[in-house]
Amino acid sequence: MSNVVIVGTQWGDEGKGKIVDFFTSNADAVVRFQGGNNAGHTLVVDGKKTILHLIPSGVLHPKKVCVIGNGVVVDPKVLLQEIQALKKAGYLKKPDTLRISNLAHVILPYHQSIDLLREAAKGDAKIGTTGRGIGPCYEDKVARRGVRIADFVDPDIFAERLKTLLPERNAYIAQVLKGKPFDADALLKEYLPLAKAIRPYVDDVGDLLQTWVRKDWKLLFEGAQGTSLDVDHGTYPYVTSSNTVAGYASCGSGLGPTQIDQVVGIAKAYTTRVGSGPFPTELEDKTGEYLREKGGEFGSTTGRPRRCGWLDLVVIRHAMRANGLTSLVLTKLDVLSGLKKIRICTAYRLGSKVLKTVPATVEDLQEVKPIYEEVPGWSEDLTGVTRWKQMPKFAKKYVEKVEKLLDLPMTSVSVGPSRQQHIVLKNPFKK
Ligand code: GDP
Ligand code: IMO
Ligand code: MG
């Protein structure tokens, strides 16, 4: 058995999609277990760029099955657009290569409306959400007023659910948020054909996964967002509305935790964050600008410029603990080429105290000053490096330093966006 979970260790956009695509060749199925189309996972294969928001990053491997677990929130419009685009590109030829949990919750237009109206009302205090209705959909799930895929694809149940849910949601939209309420009949008319189109993909995913495990299939679980965006373990309230940590691979797929063998964390060789909230190692200077330009740090989902800063090992250590990481992948090492000196944050100073862990309140996290170790940079271009032996001396030292400071083995190092630009040191699927 070798079932592997891949998670982001920072604030998302670590390069999870690229790494999942790479390791899919070792797996039989790839499973998304949380988040929704707030995610933007970029794959570059044979020079062609594909950005996925909902469908697992294994989809460019035609023989593998992609699975959307119960922990994901599914926007039917986005899902169908993504399916169409992939079909046009020659993928997802048969519905049985994509399975969607009947227990996943559905994002409906009022969720997105609530998300956008709330953010607009907050002004400068906004979270900086992706505006996709993710938070309001998860709220409805926990409040027991959600619509699940199983409800959605049954026209009678869907109509009944809308009839009972919508008056309350509409009152909230109109009275509290001063927005435009939704008409149940119009919504039903628009969404019933979408439900019909989704029906062939719907399955009892938990049961399916168990069947596959019994057949000794290898499963790859694909996390979205990152640990510092986790609703429990992130920089609350500047977080997303799901648990992004590896433990949720179980809850969000319906397969128990004893089935998981390895947890691989993805870390960018520096740090980025999109949206509001504290970011101790942020660089609001020329170096930050250099990283943003060289790293192409603009959101894959919203196009917003990402905030950039030095690698923060307090954040990664936090992710090591919260996910139980068994190894790490360091991505975008090539972006650091050309910097004379590189800084690594090893701890924070808060007043007279030295902190090795992330403080609980954003008020404290906003106040901390990073404590850095400075290491030499390198000028060589890394994008053509294919073997560890060829890695320039100071780039190698940087990776080894991170590995040593964390006391965590390195799975691989990524040196460019393409599938090939990836040097594997230890494959998590192989003993
Ligand atoms: P994800 O959300 O974690 O899947 O990451 P995103 O796709 O949102 O953002 C990562 C960006 O970096 C994408 O544009 C990738 O194509 C790109 N990328 C991934 N790995 C590397 C790498 O090693 N070097 C460079 N230069 N770009 C990379
Ligand atoms: P991937 O999977 C980076 C951020 C948003 C915002 C906060 C809440 O591509 O790494 P939400 O719309 O989820 O309610 O927004 O979370 N966020 C992400 N940042 N990468 C992501 O996904 C993100 N998904 C959400 O910018 O700060
Ligand atoms: Mg992304």
Side-chain angles (χ1 to χ4, degrees):
M1 164 171 117
S2 200
N3 298 327
V4 177
V5 185
I6 286 187
V7 287
T9 59
Q10 295 156 320
W11 280 280
D13 304 327
E14 297 89 351
K16 298 174 293 293
K18 175 197 157 150
I19 304 303
V20 168
D21 166 68
F22 182 89
F23 284 114
T24 297
S25 54
N26 298 98
D28 298 290
V30 182
V31 188
R32 276 276 311 262
F33 56 89
Q34 47 72 231
N37 60 309
N38 48 350
H41 296 178
T42 314
L43 324 179
V44 181
V45 179
D46 299 331
K48 189 168 178 282
K49 189 185 205 175
T50 306
I51 301 178
L52 300 166
H53 300 288
L54 263 174
I55 293 183
S57 298
V59 71
L60 304 190
H61 297 254
K63 293 201 175 114
K64 315 291 166 142
V65 186
C66 285
V67 180
I68 294 179
N70 58 277
V72 175
V73 286
V74 179
D75 183 323
K77 282 192 181 167
V78 175
L79 177 72
L80 290 167
Q81 276 162 11
E82 211 159 89
I83 292 175
Q84 282 311 324
L86 284 161
K87 275 189 167 171
K88 216 172 142 198
Y91 301 100
L92 282 185
K93 288 195 175 135
K94 287 186 278 170
D96 56 1
T97 52
L98 175 65
R99 303 284 82 202
I100 302 170
S101 170
N102 49 10
L103 305 180
H105 278 248
V106 180
I107 300 180
L108 289 164
Y110 52 87
H111 292 127
Q112 191 174 17
S113 172
I114 292 171
D115 194 356
L116 295 171
L117 288 164
R118 263 198 207 141
E119 284 282 278
K122 277 191 181 142
D124 286 348
K126 67 174 191 269
I127 304 283
T129 72
T130 58
R132 303 300 194 256
I134 306 294
C137 184
Y138 276 117
E139 285 170 36
D140 279 0
K141 170 178 174 172
V142 178
R144 296 169 292 196
R145 55 168 183 248
V147 175
R148 299 165 316 154
I149 291 279
D151 312 323
F152 180 57
V153 298
D154 181 313
D156 296 333
I157 301 179
F158 182 39
E160 171 58 31
R161 286 278 190 282
L162 277 185
K163 214 170 82 191
T164 44
L165 299 167
L166 212 50
E168 194 209 28
R169 295 290 77 199
N170 272 340
Y172 175 65
I173 290 170
Q175 289 162 28
V176 179
L177 301 174
K178 311 292 176 214
K180 199 167 156 280
F182 287 80
D183 176 62
D185 290 334
L187 210 156
L188 205 58
K189 195 166 165 226
E190 187 186 358
Y191 275 74
L192 279 178
L194 308 183
K196 194 174 169 207
I198 285 174
R199 213 172 294 141
Y201 299 97
V202 178
D203 218 323
D204 179 344
V205 159
D207 189 56
L208 198 61
L209 294 180
Q210 191 190 37
T211 311
W212 292 344
V213 164
R214 286 195 178 133
K215 286 195 213 163
D216 222 16
W217 275 32
K218 291 185 170 71
L219 305 178
L220 178 51
F221 293 88
E222 174 181 10
Q225 290 81 52
T227 308
S228 286
L229 287 172
D230 181 286
V231 67
D232 284 283
H233 304 288
T235 49
Y236 192 90
Y238 297 98
V239 292
T240 191
S241 299
S242 67
N243 284 108
T244 64
V245 291
Y248 209 76
S250 275
C251 305
S253 71
L255 198 66
T258 49
Q259 308 295 338
I260 289 164
D261 308 290
Q262 304 278 332
V263 182
V264 179
I266 314 295
K268 215 174 258 192
Y270 47 99
T271 312
T272 61
R273 169 162 212 175
V274 58
S276 324
F279 180 178
T281 63
E282 183 169 13
L283 292 165
E284 289 175 287
D285 59 6
K286 275 191 179 152
T287 311
E289 194 53 44
Y290 181 83
L291 294 172
R292 178 154 46 248
E293 287 306 320
K294 189 143 189 270
E297 296 297 355
F298 298 88
S300 328
T301 296
T302 56
R304 291 178 289 177
R306 294 176 184 148
R307 300 155 67 193
C308 297
W310 297 120
L311 183 64
D312 185 341
L313 295 190
V314 183
V315 163
I316 312 269
R317 258 189 245 115
H318 177 76
M320 275 172 71
R321 195 246 317 136
N323 295 286
L325 297 187
T326 51
S327 67
L328 196 75
V329 174
L330 204 63
T331 62
K332 304 192 91 160
L333 189 64
D334 55 298
V335 176
L336 295 180
S337 291
L339 293 169
K340 284 205 170 63
K341 299 268 181 211
I342 299 172
R343 296 179 136 194
I344 303 173
C345 168
T346 55
Y348 300 146
R349 199 177 296 285
L350 180 64
S352 59
K353 282 192 259 169
V354 171
L355 305 183
K356 292 264 184 176
T357 54
V358 183
T361 63
V362 291
E363 284 76 5
D364 277 351
L365 195 56
Q366 234 128 24
E367 285 300 306
V368 302
K369 299 276 173 284
I371 300 174
Y372 288 116
E373 273 201 33
E374 199 169 73
V375 296
W378 59 89
S379 57
E380 297 92 333
D381 175 20
L382 306 185
T383 55
V385 176
T386 52
R387 289 193 298 166
W388 184 240
K389 270 201 260 169
Q390 302 168 334
M391 188 64 83
K393 180 175 158 197
F394 286 114
K396 208 178 216 174
K397 282 198 165 195
Y398 181 73
V399 176
E400 286 166 352
K401 177 100 192 169
V402 171
E403 205 172 10
K404 188 158 171 243
L405 284 170
L406 292 173
D407 192 18
L408 184 68
M410 204 62 80
T411 289
S412 56
V413 176
S414 173
V415 291
S418 302
R419 194 187 266 171
Q420 282 77 18
Q421 291 172 304
H422 187 208
I423 304 157
V424 180
L425 306 169
K426 177 145 187 15
N427 186 328
F429 282 95
K430 296 189 177 147
K431 293 264 151 58

